[in-house]
Amino acid sequence: MASGNSKIVKLELTPLGNRPRNCPPEAQGAWNYLVGAHASVSGLFDTLHVLRLKSAEESDPRGRLSHDQTDQLRAALVFSSSGLDACLRRLLRDALPVLVNGNTDAEGRFKAFVNEQLNGAKAPKHIRTALIDRDPRSRLIESYVDALTGSSLQQVSDLRKVRDALGIASAAITDTVIEKLGPFFAARNEVAHELDLVDPSGRGTTTRRGRKMADVRDQCDEVLLQVRSFVRHSAKLIGQC
């Protein structure tokens, strides 16, 4: 969106809309995280817009991105990734105990996890401890949740695993839709793990990758809207339980 008579375009995310209808408590925490992540990324885009307007007035009417302004785009990628990670891990912690006990698909994934742990050369200590607890199933579910939330979500295969664990049908959130987030994860990892440097070693320069505004906006928007889809589908499944 252009600002007044300026040709400087302001980046804007798609509004999240209302929270899921009759949103159960097990999905509310994840939704709150999503709203916060959406607001944070929008705030970065707002700051970038102010910086570009100021730059256009003072030195560069074409509105080309400076290094500092491009850092706002990099920050937006990282914030979006953090939002995805926080939202889905919270959703797993809150929703899985209900879904495993009330959704056939989610329970099937849980049982497959337990069988895999038991069929190894030696069952892990946390599994053996759970089995002799007064409430083995509850303890096993806790171990299952811990296994799924123990590391950050950094690739499309992680999202497929979350979808399947929650019992969300692959027809509702398809592999194709999830795989479209591949470029986002690639960009996120380049920023988070490589500081967006092309080749910082040897005699090479510390040239940083360029980031296009439209690409970053679309990538952040897609991932936040996909998280919204996870929360909405989970809320519906919890309601059916």
Side-chain angles (χ1 to χ4, degrees), residues 50-97:
V50 171
L51 292 174
R52 295 185 70 222
L53 288 175
K54 183 177 181 181
S55 178
E57 292 174 356
E58 295 179 351
S59 60
D60 188 358
R62 287 172 291 183
R64 292 178 299 184
L65 293 179
S66 67
H67 291 299
D68 289 344
Q69 291 167 8
T70 305
D71 277 341
Q72 296 292 313
L73 297 179
R74 297 185 178 103
L77 289 169
V78 174
F79 272 51
S80 297
S81 176
S82 297
L84 175 146
D85 193 60
C87 292
L88 294 188
R89 292 170 75 184
R90 177 64 183 268
L91 187 62
L92 287 168
R93 287 194 297 270
D94 292 350
L96 265 186

mmCIF file of all heavy atoms in Angstrom, residues 50-97:
data_model
loop_
_atom_site.group_PDB
_atom_site.id
_atom_site.type_symbol
_atom_site.label_atom_id
_atom_site.label_comp_id
_atom_site.label_asym_id
_atom_site.label_seq_id
_atom_site.Cartn_x
_atom_site.Cartn_y
_atom_site.Cartn_z
ATOM 1 N N VAL A 50 8.439 3.613 8.015
ATOM 2 C CA VAL A 50 8.849 4.919 8.543
ATOM 3 C C VAL A 50 10.288 5.224 8.137
ATOM 4 O O VAL A 50 10.607 6.351 7.716
ATOM 5 C CB VAL A 50 8.697 4.943 10.080
ATOM 6 C CG1 VAL A 50 9.319 6.219 10.653
ATOM 7 C CG2 VAL A 50 7.234 4.855 10.471
ATOM 8 N N LEU A 51 11.165 4.247 8.234
ATOM 9 C CA LEU A 51 12.568 4.446 7.865
ATOM 10 C C LEU A 51 12.700 4.778 6.378
ATOM 11 O O LEU A 51 13.509 5.637 5.993
ATOM 12 C CB LEU A 51 13.375 3.191 8.200
ATOM 13 C CG LEU A 51 13.553 2.868 9.685
ATOM 14 C CD1 LEU A 51 14.251 1.513 9.843
ATOM 15 C CD2 LEU A 51 14.350 3.955 10.388
ATOM 16 N N ARG A 52 11.915 4.106 5.553
ATOM 17 C CA ARG A 52 12.000 4.348 4.103
ATOM 18 C C ARG A 52 11.450 5.719 3.736
ATOM 19 O O ARG A 52 11.998 6.398 2.854
ATOM 20 C CB ARG A 52 11.245 3.250 3.352
ATOM 21 C CG ARG A 52 11.865 1.875 3.524
ATOM 22 C CD ARG A 52 11.160 0.849 2.660
ATOM 23 N NE ARG A 52 11.432 1.068 1.258
ATOM 24 C CZ ARG A 52 10.534 0.991 0.284
ATOM 25 N NH1 ARG A 52 9.271 0.726 0.583
ATOM 26 N NH2 ARG A 52 10.871 1.190 -0.974
ATOM 27 N N LEU A 53 10.381 6.136 4.412
ATOM 28 C CA LEU A 53 9.861 7.481 4.156
ATOM 29 C C LEU A 53 10.880 8.544 4.530
ATOM 30 O O LEU A 53 11.086 9.522 3.792
ATOM 31 C CB LEU A 53 8.560 7.693 4.946
ATOM 32 C CG LEU A 53 7.312 6.945 4.450
ATOM 33 C CD1 LEU A 53 6.154 7.170 5.410
ATOM 34 C CD2 LEU A 53 6.934 7.386 3.041
ATOM 35 N N LYS A 54 11.521 8.362 5.669
ATOM 36 C CA LYS A 54 12.533 9.319 6.119
ATOM 37 C C LYS A 54 13.711 9.351 5.160
ATOM 38 O O LYS A 54 14.231 10.415 4.812
ATOM 39 C CB LYS A 54 13.003 8.949 7.518
ATOM 40 C CG LYS A 54 14.003 9.932 8.106
ATOM 41 C CD LYS A 54 14.375 9.541 9.532
ATOM 42 C CE LYS A 54 15.369 10.546 10.115
ATOM 43 N NZ LYS A 54 15.766 10.164 11.501
ATOM 44 N N SER A 55 14.134 8.171 4.706
ATOM 45 C CA SER A 55 15.248 8.084 3.772
ATOM 46 C C SER A 55 14.911 8.749 2.447
ATOM 47 O O SER A 55 15.739 9.428 1.842
ATOM 48 C CB SER A 55 15.621 6.621 3.543
ATOM 49 O OG SER A 55 16.664 6.499 2.596
ATOM 50 N N ALA A 56 13.672 8.555 1.993
ATOM 51 C CA ALA A 56 13.240 9.153 0.727
ATOM 52 C C ALA A 56 13.248 10.672 0.809
ATOM 53 O O ALA A 56 13.599 11.359 -0.147
ATOM 54 C CB ALA A 56 11.852 8.646 0.364
ATOM 55 N N GLU A 57 12.876 11.207 1.961
ATOM 56 C CA GLU A 57 12.845 12.660 2.147
ATOM 57 C C GLU A 57 14.246 13.251 2.226
ATOM 58 O O GLU A 57 14.503 14.354 1.746
ATOM 59 C CB GLU A 57 12.071 13.002 3.423
ATOM 60 C CG GLU A 57 10.588 12.692 3.355
ATOM 61 C CD GLU A 57 9.901 12.910 4.688
ATOM 62 O OE1 GLU A 57 10.619 13.233 5.661
ATOM 63 O OE2 GLU A 57 8.674 12.755 4.763
ATOM 64 N N GLU A 58 15.178 12.499 2.820
ATOM 65 C CA GLU A 58 16.500 13.046 3.099
ATOM 66 C C GLU A 58 17.528 12.793 2.005
ATOM 67 O O GLU A 58 18.361 13.652 1.729
ATOM 68 C CB GLU A 58 17.030 12.462 4.413
ATOM 69 C CG GLU A 58 16.213 12.879 5.630
ATOM 70 C CD GLU A 58 16.749 12.264 6.904
ATOM 71 O OE1 GLU A 58 17.632 11.381 6.801
ATOM 72 O OE2 GLU A 58 16.287 12.658 7.986
ATOM 73 N N SER A 59 17.482 11.588 1.381
ATOM 74 C CA SER A 59 18.598 11.264 0.489
ATOM 75 C C SER A 59 18.246 10.433 -0.733
ATOM 76 O O SER A 59 18.902 10.549 -1.759
ATOM 77 C CB SER A 59 19.691 10.535 1.284
ATOM 78 O OG SER A 59 19.174 9.340 1.845
ATOM 79 N N ASP A 60 17.233 9.570 -0.637
ATOM 80 C CA ASP A 60 16.990 8.616 -1.716
ATOM 81 C C ASP A 60 15.507 8.559 -2.056
ATOM 82 O O ASP A 60 14.770 7.733 -1.519
ATOM 83 C CB ASP A 60 17.492 7.233 -1.316
ATOM 84 C CG ASP A 60 17.447 6.241 -2.483
ATOM 85 O OD1 ASP A 60 16.987 6.635 -3.575
ATOM 86 O OD2 ASP A 60 17.866 5.088 -2.299
ATOM 87 N N PRO A 61 15.048 9.420 -2.964
ATOM 88 C CA PRO A 61 13.619 9.436 -3.296
ATOM 89 C C PRO A 61 13.122 8.148 -3.939
ATOM 90 O O PRO A 61 11.926 7.904 -3.991
ATOM 91 C CB PRO A 61 13.512 10.616 -4.280
ATOM 92 C CG PRO A 61 14.883 10.770 -4.851
ATOM 93 C CD PRO A 61 15.820 10.413 -3.732
ATOM 94 N N ARG A 62 14.045 7.305 -4.419
ATOM 95 C CA ARG A 62 13.616 6.040 -5.034
ATOM 96 C C ARG A 62 13.283 4.988 -3.983
ATOM 97 O O ARG A 62 12.707 3.952 -4.307
ATOM 98 C CB ARG A 62 14.723 5.520 -5.967
ATOM 99 C CG ARG A 62 14.850 6.334 -7.256
ATOM 100 C CD ARG A 62 16.057 5.915 -8.043
ATOM 101 N NE ARG A 62 17.303 6.292 -7.371
ATOM 102 C CZ ARG A 62 18.517 6.084 -7.875
ATOM 103 N NH1 ARG A 62 18.645 5.490 -9.046
ATOM 104 N NH2 ARG A 62 19.599 6.449 -7.213
ATOM 105 N N GLY A 63 13.643 5.249 -2.727
ATOM 106 C CA GLY A 63 13.269 4.330 -1.662
ATOM 107 C C GLY A 63 14.013 3.016 -1.664
ATOM 108 O O GLY A 63 13.488 2.011 -1.192
ATOM 109 N N ARG A 64 15.236 3.005 -2.196
ATOM 110 C CA ARG A 64 16.007 1.770 -2.173
ATOM 111 C C ARG A 64 16.340 1.380 -0.734
ATOM 112 O O ARG A 64 16.572 2.237 0.112
ATOM 113 C CB ARG A 64 17.298 1.946 -2.983
ATOM 114 C CG ARG A 64 17.068 2.115 -4.472
ATOM 115 C CD ARG A 64 18.371 2.327 -5.204
ATOM 116 N NE ARG A 64 19.058 3.533 -4.735
ATOM 117 C CZ ARG A 64 20.187 4.003 -5.257
ATOM 118 N NH1 ARG A 64 20.766 3.351 -6.267
ATOM 119 N NH2 ARG A 64 20.738 5.104 -4.801
ATOM 120 N N LEU A 65 16.398 0.076 -0.495
ATOM 121 C CA LEU A 65 16.632 -0.413 0.860
ATOM 122 C C LEU A 65 18.100 -0.279 1.242
ATOM 123 O O LEU A 65 18.986 -0.690 0.496
ATOM 124 C CB LEU A 65 16.216 -1.871 0.992
ATOM 125 C CG LEU A 65 14.727 -2.192 0.878
ATOM 126 C CD1 LEU A 65 14.517 -3.699 1.019
ATOM 127 C CD2 LEU A 65 13.928 -1.464 1.928
ATOM 128 N N SER A 66 18.341 0.293 2.412
ATOM 129 C CA SER A 66 19.687 0.311 2.978
ATOM 130 C C SER A 66 19.928 -1.012 3.692
ATOM 131 O O SER A 66 19.028 -1.844 3.847
ATOM 132 C CB SER A 66 19.824 1.464 3.965
ATOM 133 O OG SER A 66 18.996 1.239 5.103
ATOM 134 N N HIS A 67 21.161 -1.220 4.156
ATOM 135 C CA HIS A 67 21.465 -2.442 4.895
ATOM 136 C C HIS A 67 20.626 -2.524 6.168
ATOM 137 O O HIS A 67 20.104 -3.584 6.524
ATOM 138 C CB HIS A 67 22.958 -2.481 5.241
ATOM 139 C CG HIS A 67 23.854 -2.669 4.056
ATOM 140 N ND1 HIS A 67 23.787 -3.784 3.241
ATOM 141 C CD2 HIS A 67 24.825 -1.876 3.530
ATOM 142 C CE1 HIS A 67 24.686 -3.683 2.270
ATOM 143 N NE2 HIS A 67 25.320 -2.533 2.420
ATOM 144 N N ASP A 68 20.509 -1.405 6.870
ATOM 145 C CA ASP A 68 19.730 -1.398 8.109
ATOM 146 C C ASP A 68 18.253 -1.689 7.837
ATOM 147 O O ASP A 68 17.592 -2.374 8.625
ATOM 148 C CB ASP A 68 19.866 -0.042 8.811
ATOM 149 C CG ASP A 68 21.247 0.167 9.400
ATOM 150 O OD1 ASP A 68 21.989 -0.828 9.536
ATOM 151 O OD2 ASP A 68 21.590 1.325 9.713
ATOM 152 N N GLN A 69 17.738 -1.179 6.746
ATOM 153 C CA GLN A 69 16.338 -1.418 6.418
ATOM 154 C C GLN A 69 16.112 -2.881 6.020
ATOM 155 O O GLN A 69 15.086 -3.473 6.365
ATOM 156 C CB GLN A 69 15.909 -0.477 5.291
ATOM 157 C CG GLN A 69 15.838 0.981 5.729
ATOM 158 C CD GLN A 69 15.721 1.933 4.567
ATOM 159 O OE1 GLN A 69 15.544 1.529 3.421
ATOM 160 N NE2 GLN A 69 15.846 3.234 4.859
ATOM 161 N N THR A 70 17.072 -3.458 5.315
ATOM 162 C CA THR A 70 16.954 -4.865 4.957
ATOM 163 C C THR A 70 16.978 -5.737 6.203
ATOM 164 O O THR A 70 16.360 -6.814 6.233
ATOM 165 C CB THR A 70 18.093 -5.275 4.006
ATOM 166 O OG1 THR A 70 18.101 -4.403 2.878
ATOM 167 C CG2 THR A 70 17.896 -6.718 3.508
ATOM 168 N N ASP A 71 17.665 -5.270 7.239
ATOM 169 C CA ASP A 71 17.663 -6.018 8.498
ATOM 170 C C ASP A 71 16.258 -6.117 9.084
ATOM 171 O O ASP A 71 15.957 -7.067 9.815
ATOM 172 C CB ASP A 71 18.599 -5.361 9.520
ATOM 173 C CG ASP A 71 20.042 -5.786 9.320
ATOM 174 O OD1 ASP A 71 20.282 -6.815 8.662
ATOM 175 O OD2 ASP A 71 20.947 -5.083 9.821
ATOM 176 N N GLN A 72 15.398 -5.148 8.807
ATOM 177 C CA GLN A 72 14.014 -5.236 9.265
ATOM 178 C C GLN A 72 13.304 -6.412 8.592
ATOM 179 O O GLN A 72 12.488 -7.096 9.215
ATOM 180 C CB GLN A 72 13.269 -3.929 8.960
ATOM 181 C CG GLN A 72 13.787 -2.707 9.689
ATOM 182 C CD GLN A 72 13.529 -2.790 11.175
ATOM 183 O OE1 GLN A 72 12.433 -3.112 11.608
ATOM 184 N NE2 GLN A 72 14.551 -2.501 11.965
ATOM 185 N N LEU A 73 13.629 -6.655 7.328
ATOM 186 C CA LEU A 73 13.055 -7.797 6.623
ATOM 187 C C LEU A 73 13.577 -9.104 7.218
ATOM 188 O O LEU A 73 12.824 -10.063 7.396
ATOM 189 C CB LEU A 73 13.400 -7.725 5.133
ATOM 190 C CG LEU A 73 12.839 -6.530 4.352
ATOM 191 C CD1 LEU A 73 13.308 -6.604 2.896
ATOM 192 C CD2 LEU A 73 11.324 -6.488 4.419
ATOM 193 N N ARG A 74 14.872 -9.123 7.507
ATOM 194 C CA ARG A 74 15.449 -10.328 8.116
ATOM 195 C C ARG A 74 14.816 -10.597 9.477
ATOM 196 O O ARG A 74 14.514 -11.751 9.820
ATOM 197 C CB ARG A 74 16.957 -10.168 8.242
ATOM 198 C CG ARG A 74 17.681 -10.016 6.909
ATOM 199 C CD ARG A 74 19.185 -9.993 7.072
ATOM 200 N NE ARG A 74 19.842 -9.898 5.769
ATOM 201 C CZ ARG A 74 20.378 -8.789 5.264
ATOM 202 N NH1 ARG A 74 20.350 -7.665 5.978
ATOM 203 N NH2 ARG A 74 20.937 -8.787 4.075
ATOM 204 N N ALA A 75 14.620 -9.530 10.239
ATOM 205 C CA ALA A 75 13.982 -9.689 11.547
ATOM 206 C C ALA A 75 12.557 -10.214 11.401
ATOM 207 O O ALA A 75 12.098 -11.025 12.217
ATOM 208 C CB ALA A 75 13.989 -8.359 12.296
ATOM 209 N N ALA A 76 11.853 -9.778 10.367
ATOM 210 C CA ALA A 76 10.483 -10.245 10.146
ATOM 211 C C ALA A 76 10.455 -11.750 9.884
ATOM 212 O O ALA A 76 9.559 -12.462 10.358
ATOM 213 C CB ALA A 76 9.852 -9.496 8.969
ATOM 214 N N LEU A 77 11.447 -12.252 9.145
ATOM 215 C CA LEU A 77 11.523 -13.693 8.899
ATOM 216 C C LEU A 77 11.750 -14.455 10.201
ATOM 217 O O LEU A 77 11.105 -15.480 10.461
ATOM 218 C CB LEU A 77 12.663 -13.989 7.913
ATOM 219 C CG LEU A 77 12.450 -13.555 6.463
ATOM 220 C CD1 LEU A 77 13.757 -13.656 5.682
ATOM 221 C CD2 LEU A 77 11.379 -14.409 5.792
ATOM 222 N N VAL A 78 12.651 -13.944 11.032
ATOM 223 C CA VAL A 78 12.953 -14.616 12.296
ATOM 224 C C VAL A 78 11.755 -14.557 13.237
ATOM 225 O O VAL A 78 11.417 -15.547 13.903
ATOM 226 C CB VAL A 78 14.200 -13.992 12.951
ATOM 227 C CG1 VAL A 78 14.433 -14.583 14.339
ATOM 228 C CG2 VAL A 78 15.428 -14.215 12.076
ATOM 229 N N PHE A 79 11.084 -13.406 13.313
ATOM 230 C CA PHE A 79 9.914 -13.271 14.181
ATOM 231 C C PHE A 79 8.790 -14.201 13.723
ATOM 232 O O PHE A 79 8.096 -14.800 14.548
ATOM 233 C CB PHE A 79 9.423 -11.819 14.190
ATOM 234 C CG PHE A 79 10.080 -10.960 15.228
ATOM 235 C CD1 PHE A 79 11.462 -10.904 15.339
ATOM 236 C CD2 PHE A 79 9.334 -10.180 16.094
ATOM 237 C CE1 PHE A 79 12.083 -10.112 16.290
ATOM 238 C CE2 PHE A 79 9.938 -9.389 17.057
ATOM 239 C CZ PHE A 79 11.321 -9.354 17.156
ATOM 240 N N SER A 80 8.616 -14.318 12.420
ATOM 241 C CA SER A 80 7.574 -15.220 11.900
ATOM 242 C C SER A 80 7.896 -16.668 12.252
ATOM 243 O O SER A 80 7.015 -17.442 12.636
ATOM 244 C CB SER A 80 7.447 -15.073 10.381
ATOM 245 O OG SER A 80 7.022 -13.771 10.030
ATOM 246 N N SER A 81 9.169 -17.022 12.128
ATOM 247 C CA SER A 81 9.588 -18.374 12.486
ATOM 248 C C SER A 81 9.388 -18.635 13.975
ATOM 249 O O SER A 81 8.912 -19.701 14.376
ATOM 250 C CB SER A 81 11.059 -18.577 12.118
ATOM 251 O OG SER A 81 11.514 -19.839 12.536
ATOM 252 N N SER A 82 9.741 -17.656 14.806
ATOM 253 C CA SER A 82 9.548 -17.809 16.249
ATOM 254 C C SER A 82 8.067 -17.936 16.584
ATOM 255 O O SER A 82 7.687 -18.711 17.471
ATOM 256 C CB SER A 82 10.148 -16.608 16.984
ATOM 257 O OG SER A 82 11.549 -16.542 16.791
ATOM 258 N N GLY A 83 7.235 -17.182 15.869
ATOM 259 C CA GLY A 83 5.794 -17.276 16.084
ATOM 260 C C GLY A 83 5.261 -18.647 15.731
ATOM 261 O O GLY A 83 4.472 -19.227 16.481
ATOM 262 N N LEU A 84 5.696 -19.170 14.583
ATOM 263 C CA LEU A 84 5.282 -20.518 14.191
ATOM 264 C C LEU A 84 5.690 -21.535 15.243
ATOM 265 O O LEU A 84 4.894 -22.375 15.662
ATOM 266 C CB LEU A 84 5.897 -20.860 12.835
ATOM 267 C CG LEU A 84 5.688 -22.284 12.305
ATOM 268 C CD1 LEU A 84 5.555 -22.267 10.787
ATOM 269 C CD2 LEU A 84 6.855 -23.192 12.685
ATOM 270 N N ASP A 85 6.938 -21.446 15.679
ATOM 271 C CA ASP A 85 7.469 -22.407 16.641
ATOM 272 C C ASP A 85 6.714 -22.337 17.970
ATOM 273 O O ASP A 85 6.291 -23.361 18.517
ATOM 274 C CB ASP A 85 8.953 -22.114 16.858
ATOM 275 C CG ASP A 85 9.670 -23.237 17.577
ATOM 276 O OD1 ASP A 85 9.684 -24.357 17.061
ATOM 277 O OD2 ASP A 85 10.208 -22.994 18.672
ATOM 278 N N ALA A 86 6.525 -21.124 18.482
ATOM 279 C CA ALA A 86 5.851 -20.953 19.772
ATOM 280 C C ALA A 86 4.389 -21.397 19.698
ATOM 281 O O ALA A 86 3.882 -22.059 20.614
ATOM 282 C CB ALA A 86 5.946 -19.498 20.222
ATOM 283 N N CYS A 87 3.725 -21.041 18.615
ATOM 284 C CA CYS A 87 2.300 -21.372 18.474
ATOM 285 C C CYS A 87 2.078 -22.871 18.391
ATOM 286 O O CYS A 87 1.221 -23.427 19.100
ATOM 287 C CB CYS A 87 1.724 -20.700 17.230
ATOM 288 S SG CYS A 87 1.610 -18.909 17.309
ATOM 289 N N LEU A 88 2.828 -23.533 17.514
ATOM 290 C CA LEU A 88 2.574 -24.960 17.291
ATOM 291 C C LEU A 88 3.057 -25.808 18.461
ATOM 292 O O LEU A 88 2.423 -26.815 18.794
ATOM 293 C CB LEU A 88 3.223 -25.409 15.988
ATOM 294 C CG LEU A 88 2.625 -24.790 14.720
ATOM 295 C CD1 LEU A 88 3.211 -25.445 13.476
ATOM 296 C CD2 LEU A 88 1.106 -24.897 14.698
ATOM 297 N N ARG A 89 4.135 -25.416 19.100
ATOM 298 C CA ARG A 89 4.570 -26.172 20.271
ATOM 299 C C ARG A 89 3.576 -26.005 21.418
ATOM 300 O O ARG A 89 3.306 -26.953 22.161
ATOM 301 C CB ARG A 89 5.976 -25.736 20.682
ATOM 302 C CG ARG A 89 7.029 -26.143 19.659
ATOM 303 C CD ARG A 89 8.365 -25.529 19.919
ATOM 304 N NE ARG A 89 9.050 -26.175 21.030
ATOM 305 C CZ ARG A 89 10.218 -25.758 21.505
ATOM 306 N NH1 ARG A 89 10.800 -24.691 20.991
ATOM 307 N NH2 ARG A 89 10.798 -26.397 22.493
ATOM 308 N N ARG A 90 3.014 -24.800 21.578
ATOM 309 C CA ARG A 90 1.979 -24.598 22.589
ATOM 310 C C ARG A 90 0.737 -25.412 22.242
ATOM 311 O O ARG A 90 0.101 -26.024 23.117
ATOM 312 C CB ARG A 90 1.636 -23.109 22.679
ATOM 313 C CG ARG A 90 0.505 -22.766 23.648
ATOM 314 C CD ARG A 90 0.847 -23.100 25.095
ATOM 315 N NE ARG A 90 -0.257 -22.836 25.995
ATOM 316 C CZ ARG A 90 -0.422 -21.671 26.643
ATOM 317 N NH1 ARG A 90 0.437 -20.675 26.486
ATOM 318 N NH2 ARG A 90 -1.445 -21.521 27.466
ATOM 319 N N LEU A 91 0.391 -25.449 20.964
ATOM 320 C CA LEU A 91 -0.778 -26.215 20.532
ATOM 321 C C LEU A 91 -0.587 -27.697 20.830
ATOM 322 O O LEU A 91 -1.517 -28.368 21.309
ATOM 323 C CB LEU A 91 -1.008 -25.990 19.038
ATOM 324 C CG LEU A 91 -2.282 -26.581 18.436
ATOM 325 C CD1 LEU A 91 -3.521 -25.965 19.077
ATOM 326 C CD2 LEU A 91 -2.306 -26.347 16.920
ATOM 327 N N LEU A 92 0.601 -28.211 20.570
ATOM 328 C CA LEU A 92 0.871 -29.618 20.862
ATOM 329 C C LEU A 92 0.760 -29.902 22.357
ATOM 330 O O LEU A 92 0.145 -30.895 22.766
ATOM 331 C CB LEU A 92 2.269 -29.991 20.362
ATOM 332 C CG LEU A 92 2.450 -30.112 18.844
ATOM 333 C CD1 LEU A 92 3.931 -30.193 18.496
ATOM 334 C CD2 LEU A 92 1.706 -31.331 18.303
ATOM 335 N N ARG A 93 1.335 -29.038 23.182
ATOM 336 C CA ARG A 93 1.301 -29.272 24.627
ATOM 337 C C ARG A 93 -0.124 -29.235 25.175
ATOM 338 O O ARG A 93 -0.493 -30.050 26.025
ATOM 339 C CB ARG A 93 2.165 -28.226 25.351
ATOM 340 C CG ARG A 93 3.662 -28.435 25.179
ATOM 341 C CD ARG A 93 4.444 -27.602 26.177
ATOM 342 N NE ARG A 93 4.250 -26.173 25.980
ATOM 343 C CZ ARG A 93 5.009 -25.426 25.199
ATOM 344 N NH1 ARG A 93 6.012 -25.976 24.528
ATOM 345 N NH2 ARG A 93 4.778 -24.140 25.067
ATOM 346 N N ASP A 94 -0.917 -28.296 24.679
ATOM 347 C CA ASP A 94 -2.265 -28.116 25.228
ATOM 348 C C ASP A 94 -3.287 -29.076 24.619
ATOM 349 O O ASP A 94 -4.190 -29.564 25.315
ATOM 350 C CB ASP A 94 -2.737 -26.674 25.002
ATOM 351 C CG ASP A 94 -1.952 -25.666 25.819
ATOM 352 O OD1 ASP A 94 -1.174 -26.085 26.698
ATOM 353 O OD2 ASP A 94 -2.111 -24.448 25.571
ATOM 354 N N ALA A 95 -3.164 -29.337 23.327
ATOM 355 C CA ALA A 95 -4.223 -30.058 22.621
ATOM 356 C C ALA A 95 -4.002 -31.562 22.533
ATOM 357 O O ALA A 95 -4.967 -32.334 22.509
ATOM 358 C CB ALA A 95 -4.389 -29.489 21.204
ATOM 359 N N LEU A 96 -2.756 -31.999 22.483
ATOM 360 C CA LEU A 96 -2.514 -33.426 22.265
ATOM 361 C C LEU A 96 -3.139 -34.333 23.327
ATOM 362 O O LEU A 96 -3.708 -35.379 22.975
ATOM 363 C CB LEU A 96 -1.012 -33.700 22.162
ATOM 364 C CG LEU A 96 -0.434 -33.741 20.746
ATOM 365 C CD1 LEU A 96 1.025 -34.162 20.792
ATOM 366 C CD2 LEU A 96 -1.222 -34.679 19.846
ATOM 367 N N PRO A 97 -3.045 -34.009 24.615
ATOM 368 C CA PRO A 97 -3.665 -34.912 25.597
ATOM 369 C C PRO A 97 -5.155 -35.138 25.347
ATOM 370 O O PRO A 97 -5.664 -36.246 25.541
ATOM 371 C CB PRO A 97 -3.430 -34.182 26.926
ATOM 372 C CG PRO A 97 -2.179 -33.406 26.701
ATOM 373 C CD PRO A 97 -2.280 -32.925 25.277
#
